[in-house]
């Protein structure tokens, strides 16, 4: 049974993805459940991305222009312009299976109280084709999750989800950060209810194309970044009595993020910065002690060990 929405608005932030955006938009426009509109927000591309979008002759595609402010503000512009009750997101270099929106629509019908629904996803590197349609995907196992519990946050990825427009506006939209802007929104949305996720893998996270996360890892190799803005968001919520019922889960989630961010710092040889981050963890389990101990190893040794680990991973 289809969801009650009358068609998804699809929001696509775009910056210098001339080689990928055509395939991305084709995967959106060829959905078995047609989107009502596809809003592309260009962030000042200079590589022919705009021309690639303009070459697509489809009345559902709207191209908007903004100064280079990052994916968060671009998505917020798309949300403001959208006319649909539900908004699906996809970055300009990712891909959907032909029945991705159909899977999300089935989740909305099954879990009408959830502010966010999402499919499963997998990673791939260029060159790559969209995943094929799996007829069983719509009826794949699904469940409601508490975003803050355990590793449930790993089930939520921007190019695989759709959000209720009214809920995302009430939550304040995406943050204006170079990284972590989507996680910031998920944190605020999760305060209003559980999310619904499907096991069907209908979205493809395409790597190896010079995206934001790859640029962030390159920066990490040079120097430790400032603390994630997500930690400041969690600290602010913990200081707000209105969210007292969520404080225990927020604290546990914040601890998990600190350990994860510290692990990244350790991989790149920034042991001192990792220990500074770990110092803010309130509940210190085995993972905390592991990464605290490893962070004491000299940086040059850590970086060499990370290169060996990545080489072994690639060979496997």
């Amino acid at each position: 049974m289809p969801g009650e929405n009358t068609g998804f608005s699809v929001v696509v932030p775009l910056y210098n993805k001339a080689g990928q955006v055509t395939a991305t938009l084709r995967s959106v426009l060829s959905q078995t459940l047609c989107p009502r509109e596809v809003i592309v927000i260009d962030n000042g591309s200079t590589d022919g991305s705009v021309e690639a979008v303009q070459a697509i002759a489809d009345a559902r595609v709207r191209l908007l222009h903004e100064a280079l402010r990052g994916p968060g503000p671009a998505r917020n512009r798309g949300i403001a312009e959208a006319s649909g009750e539900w908004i699906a997101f996809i970055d300009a270099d990712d891909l959907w299976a032909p029945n991705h929106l159909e899977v999300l629509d089935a989740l909305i019908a099954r879990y009408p109280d959830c502010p966010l629904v999402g499919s499963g996803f997998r990673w791939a590197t260029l060159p790559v084709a969209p995943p094929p349609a799996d007829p069983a995907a719509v009826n794949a196992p699904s469940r409601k999750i508490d975003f803050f519990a355990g590793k449930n946050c790993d089930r939520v990825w921007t190019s695989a989800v759709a959000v209720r427009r009214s809920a995302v506006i009430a939550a304040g939209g995406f943050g204006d950060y170079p990284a972590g802007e989507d996680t910031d929104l998920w944190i605020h949305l999760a305060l209003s209810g559980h999310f619904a996720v499907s096991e069907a893998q209908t979205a493809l996270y395409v790597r190896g194309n010079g995206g934001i996360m790859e640029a962030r890892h390159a920066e990490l190799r040079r120097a430790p970044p400032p603390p994630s803005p997500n930690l400041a968001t969690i600290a602010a919520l913990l200081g707000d009595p209105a969210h007292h019922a969520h404080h225990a889960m927020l604290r546990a989630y914040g601890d998990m993020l600190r350990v994860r961010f510290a692990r990244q710092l350790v991989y790149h040889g920034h042991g001192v910065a990792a220990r500074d981050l770990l110092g803010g963890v309130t509940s210190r389990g085995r993972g905390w002690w592991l990464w605290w101990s490893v962070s004491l190893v000299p940086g040059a040794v850590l970086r060499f060990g990370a290169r060996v680990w990545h080489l072994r991973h690639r060979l496997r």
Side-chain angles (χ1 to χ4, degrees):
M1 178 179 177
E4 294 180 359
N5 74 87
T6 56
F8 289 92
S9 294
V10 180
V11 170
V12 187
L14 171 65
Y15 177 67
N16 284 356
K17 288 292 183 289
Q20 294 85 44
V21 67
T22 300
T24 296
L25 293 178
R26 283 176 178 164
S27 79
V28 173
L29 295 169
S30 62
Q31 290 293 299
T32 53
L33 179 62
C34 294
R36 66 185 294 151
E37 59 187 348
V38 182
I39 305 172
V40 181
I41 305 93
D42 178 60
N43 256 197
S45 296
T46 58
D47 69 339
S49 294
V50 169
E51 291 77 6
V53 175
Q54 291 172 334
I56 296 175
D58 193 303
R60 291 171 292 175
V61 178
R62 295 168 55 196
L63 177 62
L64 308 177
H65 300 276
E66 281 221 336
L68 179 54
R69 296 172 56 207
R75 294 191 194 104
N76 289 339
R77 171 78 185 281
I79 292 165
E81 297 278 348
S83 60
E85 179 187 0
W86 281 86
I87 301 173
F89 301 105
I90 184 170
D91 288 347
D93 50 0
D94 295 324
L95 299 167
W96 285 346
N99 56 351
H100 173 71
L101 291 181
E102 202 176 343
V103 168
L104 298 186
D105 193 58
L107 286 172
I108 293 168
R110 208 170 299 151
Y111 307 100
D113 58 325
C114 291
L116 178 149
V117 297
S119 76
F121 57 91
R122 62 183 177 86
W123 292 8
T125 55
L126 292 172
V128 65
D134 178 1
V138 173
N139 297 314
S142 61
R143 61 190 174 96
K144 294 170 74 170
I145 61 169
D146 181 343
F147 176 78
F148 300 122
K151 295 184 178 180
N152 283 341
C153 58
D154 294 337
R155 297 300 312 275
V156 181
W157 171 57
T158 311
S159 287
V161 306
V163 298
R164 193 185 301 274
R165 184 173 184 271
S166 57
V168 76
I169 290 173
F174 288 89
D176 188 1
Y177 315 129
E181 81 291 340
D182 45 3
T183 300
D184 197 75
L185 175 56
W186 311 151
I187 291 170
H188 285 96
L189 267 182
L191 296 173
S192 66
H194 287 179
F195 299 163
V197 295
S198 170
E199 296 296 327
Q201 293 186 345
T202 57
L204 205 59
Y205 184 179
V206 181
R207 306 291 297 272
N209 49 15
I212 290 175
M213 293 309 296
E214 288 162 47
R216 184 168 180 267
H217 283 296
E219 292 170 0
L220 261 173
R221 286 191 287 271
R222 293 190 291 270
S228 168
N230 301 146
L231 299 178
T233 294
I234 293 169
L237 292 171
L238 287 172
D240 186 347
H243 300 297
H244 178 75
H246 295 93
H247 279 184
M249 294 303 294
L250 281 167
R251 194 171 292 109
Y253 176 71
D255 285 351
M256 183 274 294
L257 283 186
R258 284 181 176 273
V259 172
R260 284 193 172 185
F261 293 151
R263 181 178 63 191
Q264 291 182 348
L265 291 168
V266 167
Y267 282 158
H268 292 88
H270 307 305
V272 173
R275 289 193 295 277
D276 287 344
L277 199 56
L278 290 168
V281 172
T282 59
S283 180
R284 300 177 177 182
R286 287 187 300 174
W288 186 93
W289 285 106
L290 169 64
W291 294 109
W292 179 275
S293 302
V294 177
S295 73
L296 298 171
V297 176
V301 177
L302 289 174
R303 286 187 288 271
F304 176 77
R307 286 195 296 271
V308 171
W309 187 90
H310 282 296
L311 177 60
R312 179 173 176 271
H313 182 72
R314 282 186 177 185
L315 292 174
R316 290 182 62 184

